[in-house]
Amino acid sequence: MTSIWTGVRERVLALRTAPGMSDVFGAVWLDDHGHRFELLPPLTPGELHEVEGELGVRLPEEYRGFLLEVGAGGAGPDYGIFPLRPGAERNAARAERLAEPFRPDIVGALFDEHQENEPTRDGFASDEEFLRAYHAWDTRDDELREQLFTGVLYISDQGCGYYSALAVTGPEAGTVWDDVQAVGEGAVPKTRPGAERLTFAEWYLDWLARAERTAWAERTTAGERTEVAERTAAGERTDGG
């Protein structure tokens, strides 16, 4: 049976030589930054098992397939996919509260209501009363922000304080969400017309299709793009990468 990820690694790596490669957001910035359509080697099944042991959860199937067939991080939406490897120091921090269910419907409603009830000085007789109330509100705000993204794995940096996160546990497992706390909001699902929620594969493959349209534009034919992808695949097999 053909995997949804068949040929995806080759398509991504082929974009390294596309004439409009630098036109894709996140590929090249500040001269020497950007993912440049490079990918880490895929994880082996043993490495994936080790990572999941460190995280204390089984990862969603589409993301597992990506790690095994495409790469353990690298080129992807925005500034790329965060690396995920066994033995990484950050895995311990990632594992905190990851096994608890992600519930944006419940926690998100509490968060929205909390934001609407932020204390203002006009509602209090003295500065002291206002400061006490605001301190209590601020403490609860921190608690809700921590709970809001329980059960998710951060997978990509969008810049300007925004992040993409993969729901790992709970009823939304396998879907991708925006962390937009930077603008006073919480968790917002990634969607497209006709899709209430985007899964990891839908999110990544949508990005890849857009990146190919931008990077290749009309400067090459479909046949030439296929030839580049085939050469890339042959080179990987030769190099053992």
Side-chain angles (χ1 to χ4, degrees), residues 8 29 36 52 62 70 73 81 84 92 107 112 121 124 131-132 134 154 161 180 183-184 219 224 231-232:
V8 170
W29 55 284
R36 296 180 181 271
E52 290 180 325
E62 290 180 354
V70 181
I81 303 296
L84 187 66
V107 183
D112 291 342
R121 177 63 184 83
F124 297 87
L131 290 174
R132 282 196 300 270
Y134 195 88
Y154 281 86
V180 289
V183 290
R219 287 168 281 195
E224 289 171 330
R231 290 203 306 270
T232 299

Side-chain angles (χ1 to χ4, degrees), residues 17-96:
T17 59
M21 178 267 281
S22 60
D23 295 334
V24 177
F25 177 79
V28 180
W29 55 284
L30 295 180
D31 297 328
D32 58 348
H33 293 79
H35 57 69
R36 296 180 181 271
F37 295 102
E38 297 287 352
L39 289 166
L40 293 173
L43 297 179
T44 65
E47 289 172 331
L48 177 57
H49 179 75
E50 187 176 347
V51 167
E52 290 180 325
E54 293 170 355
L55 297 179
V57 295
R58 180 180 174 88
L59 297 169
E61 293 305 314
E62 290 180 354
Y63 184 51
R64 296 180 91 251
F66 177 86
L67 295 170
L68 289 169
E69 299 181 53
V70 181
D78 302 310
Y79 291 107
I81 303 296
F82 292 146
L84 187 66
R85 289 170 162 166
E89 290 184 7
R90 69 171 63 183
N91 287 350
R94 285 167 162 163
E96 292 183 10

Side-chain angles (χ1 to χ4, degrees), residues 142-236:
D142 289 341
E143 293 172 353
L144 287 171
R145 288 179 184 275
E146 184 177 355
Q147 293 172 17
L148 191 60
F149 285 92
T150 288
V152 305
L153 183 70
Y154 281 86
I155 54 176
S156 182
D157 184 353
Q158 301 177 25
C160 299
Y162 305 118
Y163 294 90
S164 298
L166 175 66
V168 172
T169 51
E172 301 286 356
T175 58
V176 184
W177 293 68
D178 288 324
D179 177 346
V180 289
Q181 296 179 75
V183 290
E185 298 182 33
V188 178
K190 289 186 180 291
T191 62
R192 68 174 181 221
E196 184 177 354
R197 301 279 194 273
L198 286 183
T199 67
F200 178 83
E202 291 170 335
W203 173 67
Y204 193 90
L205 294 175
D206 278 2
W207 164 80
L208 179 55
R210 292 193 304 272
E212 288 174 326
R213 288 195 296 271
T214 298
W216 295 113
E218 299 300 326
R219 287 168 281 195
T220 55
T221 67
E224 289 171 330
R225 293 195 292 272
T226 300
E227 182 181 352
V228 171
E230 290 174 348
R231 290 203 306 270
T232 299
E236 280 213 318

